[in-house]
Amino acid sequence: MSLRYQDDYLWLELGSAREETGDTAAALAAFDQAVRWAPYYAHTHWERGNLRLRVGQFAEAFEDLRAAAASRKSLAPNLIDLAWGLSRGDLNTVEQLVQINDDSARLAFARFLAQKGKGKECLRHVSLLRAPLSDENRRELVSQLIRAKAFREAFELWRTDGKTSMPVVLNGGFEEPIELAAGYEGFGWFIFGKSEARVAKDESEKLSGRASLLLGFNGDWKGPRESIWQTIVVEPQRRYRISFGVKTKEIVTGAPPAIAIIDAVDDRRLGQSAAFPTPSSNWQTMSFEFSTAASTQAVVLGFMRVEGSCDLSCPIFGTVWLDDFLIEDVGTTDSQR
């Protein structure tokens, strides 16, 4: 030790060994020496801060932990998590312990809040960022908020124009591009699954506008998780009407297609349309109503099958075109009257 007296790693090893023997005072003295010889390094402050936490020196501990996180930005989530656990989720205490003073720490805190489903608090910290939120960070926060079931705040962060009202079926006429994968959890139409069904915009067929969505089936169907869907933010205890245009051609199946509404929180089915006309039909408008529960924050509108002479995963052949989706608020539910 005398030959490498200024080696901070040796002091840290000595401190750890002393703590294992139960001599925390000697351990802390060793960690003090490690910080002395490496005062600007994250690891020395982080190790001493954690020891101070274990012996109940909370103010001194977070002084060290903040210094470590300031030196190494990747430690910010760990710092926030420690503060969250120590304060039992009290946001005011967490903010006092972490002492956010730059965009990097604030963004890390916003991510943490999003993961915890604290949507309003997440948006507040996003609004306090000095620099504009990047598209990448916005998408990440929206995805985290959706996973945590904070749908309203996710939508508010997603709608960068600040004008799109709720509820709304985005791109209901399929005039804009459609995501063909589920890698990003956001708003608008998403298509996912591994079936051989053909999914495409079709400008040769439409109820109105320039295009519709074509779903072409060749018999392969992997079940309800192979679908097109969209998450819609709604109000609790309201009644809504969904309307849409549909055209079919040579549909052959024992479980005909339809449109359903699922509660985004607990996956309860809140309503569904009648089965699409088979085997073939010209364009027609279909509609159905559904009511939201007191706990409903958002719903998922999606393509599904109606159980008939076979189960919902049975083969389906033919073509369906969809267009002009619309959601309307038609009043309060019976429970509010």
Side-chain angles (χ1 to χ4, degrees), residues 4 51 57 68 77 86 96 128 151 153 159 238 242 254 265 293 319:
R4 296 171 59 188
L51 176 59
Q57 298 178 6
L86 186 66
Q96 291 171 10
L128 294 174
F151 297 103
E153 290 80 12
R159 56 174 183 178
R238 301 292 295 180
I242 296 289
V265 173
T319 307

Side-chain angles (χ1 to χ4, degrees), residues 9 18 34 47 55 70 80-81 88-89 181 199 222 224 314:
Y9 282 101
R18 287 174 172 177
E47 294 296 335
V55 300
I80 295 166
D81 191 56
R88 298 182 180 179
V199 181
K222 298 297 192 299
C314 70

